[in-house]
Amino acid sequence: MSANTIAARLLDVVENDILPLTRQGVAAGNKVFGAAILRKSDLSLVVAETNNELENPLWHGEVHTLKRFYEMGEKPTTKELIFLSTHEPCTMCMSAITWAGFDNFYYFFSHEDSRDSFAIPHDLKILKEVFGLEPGGYRKQNAFWNSFAIADLVETEADHTRTELKAQIARIKATYAALSDSYQASKGDNDIPLN
C-alpha cells in the first residue's frame, strides 16, 4: 500500500466517517476530536468514533474509538491495523494507542492546530507541564510506533492529485472550524473538566 493511497483514503475517512459522528458529538456538547481504525490490507474501515467526554472525561476521540474497538466481537489484531486520529493525539491517547499495540498512527491536525485553531491548548500544556516537552517534542518514530501527519503525505502526491487532496483538506478544515465555533459557544454549558 503506497503512502499516496493512504493519504487519499484517510482524508475520505475523516470527511465521510468521522465528521458525521463529530457533528452529532459537538451538538451534544463534546469536543471536536475523532478517530478511526482501518485495515492495513485494504484500508477498509473497522470502526470510527468521536469524542464522548460528556459521558466520561477519558473518552477522548482516540480512547473512545479504542473502547468501541474492544467492544467488538471478532476483530483483527492491532498490528494489522492503521490508527487514524483527526488531531495529533494527546499524551493519554498516545499511551492508549501504544498500550493497545498499534505500530502506527496518522493524524490530520497538529497539537499546535488544537491550541491555535481550536482554542484547546491542553495537549501542549500537559506535554510541557508534566513531561517537560515542547510541541512536537515526543519521538514520532520510536520502538512502539511511527506517527505520520497526513499533510506530509499529501505533499508526496503528484501535482494533480495533490491539488485535489488540498481542496479536500480545505473543505475538512472549514467544517472543523464551524464545529469548533459551535463547541466554543456552548462549552460553558457542559461539565468537561478541561474545556
Side-chain angles (χ1 to χ4, degrees), residues 81-102:
L81 301 171
I82 290 172
F83 196 95
L84 168 61
S85 182
T86 58
H87 295 68
E88 192 170 7
C90 71
T91 53
M92 178 182 74
C93 293
M94 273 191 258
S95 294
I97 292 165
T98 305
W99 280 104
F102 284 86

Side-chain angles (χ1 to χ4, degrees), residues 32-33 86-90 109-124 180 184:
V32 297
F33 307 116
T86 58
H87 295 68
E88 192 170 7
C90 71
F109 292 106
S110 70
H111 284 155
E112 293 88 349
D113 291 329
S114 294
R115 177 194 64 206
D116 301 340
S117 300
F118 296 95
I120 302 174
H122 313 303
D123 297 348
L124 291 179
S180 177
Q184 292 297 328

Side-chain angles (χ1 to χ4, degrees), residues 5-17:
T5 304
I6 291 171
R9 176 63 178 140
L10 296 181
L11 288 172
D12 285 345
V13 171
V14 169
E15 187 170 31
N16 301 316
D17 297 298

